[in-house]
Amino acid sequence: MTHELLTKLNLVNHPRIVTDFTGDETPEKDNIVLSYNPATGKPIAGIRLDSQEDYEVVTAKAAKAFKEFRKIPAPKRGELIRRIGNAYREVLEELGSLVALEMGKIKAEGIGEVQETIDITDFAVGLSRQMYGITMPSERPEHAMKEQWLPMGPVGIITAFNFPNAVWGWNAMLAAIAGDTCVWKPSLIAPLTAIATNDIAQRVASEMGYEDIFQLVIGTDAIVGESMIADRRYPLISATGSCDMGRHVGSVVAGRLGKSLLELGGNNAVIIEADANLDLALQSTVFGSVGTCGQRCTSTRRLIIHESIADSFCAKLVTAYESVRIGDPLDSNTLMGPLINEQSVAGYEHAVKTACEQGGTLLTGGTRVTNLEGDLATGHFVTPTIIRAPEGNNLPMALDETFAPILYVFTYKTLQEAFDMQNDVVQGLSSAIFAGSSNAAQRFLDPCGTGSDCGLAYVNLGTSGAEIGGAFGGEKDTGGGRESGSDAWKAYSRRQTCTIGFGETLELAQGIRFE
Ligand code: NAD
């Protein structure tokens, strides 16, 4: 199965891939990184790591290619992106399966992730004729003013392991439509998906005569990562990952006065009012917290529920959690796959233990899965977990983003109390409210900002599963970046304010005379 998939995606005998593993053997070379299947804990393939010299070659090519690519009219770039979208359509199932194999999310979510990349290609094609600048009146006679958005340069794209295809898609498709070239530094945890994804885009670009538009550099943070973020040839570094990573990357890029677009961690909450549609709230909360085994930046990590319905809702939630089918992500019956690796399992166990020591009550889960057989017996499976906070809602562990399926439950009396609790974390990515009353929903979305302080706010929907049409991202320690839809493309462009005189006399702004 694995070999067949890798063959279909042209990954067998690939120059970057050192070995396809069929058994338990591990290569001894230290200049390769292993891609593992988290459902078995076994390696899938070894990938050659790029060196400092490789990085230099790739960056020089991206800088050179930019000088030509920026001359291509934006609608023609749109033609490139349209063809790339079609090429992904042809391998939607295979690429989605590779995401599932290497990252461990279930196949339906893997396919959904690739669909997101296809969606952003469609969006980018439309944008290629709509990257509007505005005009404004000049204060001077016989003068005109306008703003235009120009290609910027090579963009460095650093991605997290959990969306090994779509996060690049969001960035690269917008960067390319804006006239930029892209150099992708993927997570070393999911390099195979990156190779397959990037190869397809660059193959299509090459067929159209555009070389080196989409490049990949697979290397360590110390060698390749640090070189990239400090490199002035990248006017923009778009980095997706943990808050710690973003703090470091953001400060290095700012130190050279470059731009960074940071998409970092979340600690997302769902608020449930007593008059909400509780069936809807239940389904959404389970999907939000259990989906992708709690490894989405937008996963629901906290449930803030009106005290009058907390007991009955928690009982239903426990029943739903205990019926979640855990297993092989590629099996269509599975609802929850594994965590990514043993480090992640240790983080999960630590969070459960600490939360219980802090007074939390374990309602369900909290353990490794031990009843899976065959190859899955060595996978990184855990049970979805619910921990109820003690009276007074004091549970410091819940303030951290643990990248695992743990849901902490808090109760409230007044809506303001719920908003305060929801906003009382350092991250500000996604938030949701389930409410029957439109007043409660509107207060959550208060245009004066007294409701949710997050970049994403949902009403009668869970915290995860964003559409590509809106700008995606969050505030506070989530980094403030916006990717994907709306006007996120502007981050990949250089703004220029143009003033054009068409008279015969010198007119100075602010009425200054200089004669
Ligand atoms: P991570 O921070 O460990 O790694 C993310 C990326 O940063 C990787 O490619 C890594 O190699 C790179 N990196 C780390 N140090 C670097 C350095 N010094 N220089 C250059 N690159 C460096 O994150 P992860 O474990 O892969 O992903 C999980 C995290 O990502 C979670 O916190 C999650 O919330 C977040 N995330 C956020 C979003 C979002 O859009 N807000 C989306 C997906 C994931």
Side-chain angles (χ1 to χ4, degrees), residues 130-206:
Q130 300 179 69
M131 290 187 285
Y132 303 129
I134 56 170
T135 59
M136 57 287 278
S138 169
E139 67 188 40
R140 294 175 261 201
E142 298 182 308
H143 281 70
M145 283 181 80
K146 68 171 185 175
E147 232 174 50
Q148 58 179 357
W149 296 88
L150 310 173
M152 190 182 230
V155 174
I157 303 173
I158 296 172
T159 56
F161 80 86
N162 63 327
F163 273 87
N165 168 278
V167 165
W168 171 83
W170 290 358
N171 282 283
M173 296 303 100
L174 293 192
I177 214 73
D180 304 331
T181 51
C182 305
V183 177
W184 181 7
K185 195 218 75 61
S187 162
L188 289 185
I189 299 176
L192 279 178
T193 307
I195 294 171
T197 303
N198 197 77
D199 274 8
I200 292 167
Q202 184 50 48
R203 174 179 46 84
V204 176
S206 300

Side-chain angles (χ1 to χ4, degrees), residues 355-378:
C356 291
E357 284 168 2
Q358 290 172 350
T361 305
L362 184 65
L363 300 187
T364 186
T367 56
R368 282 193 87 111
V369 174
T370 50
N371 61 355
L372 293 170
E373 290 172 353
D375 280 351
L376 300 183
T378 46

Side-chain angles (χ1 to χ4, degrees), residues 19 36 40 43 75 138 165 190 222 227 232 235 244 254 275-276 278 411 436 456 461 473 477 491:
T19 329
Y36 287 93
T40 63
S138 169
N165 168 278
S227 301
R232 294 179 65 87
D244 284 348
D275 63 356
L278 296 181
T411 54
L456 307 171
L461 278 173
D477 286 15

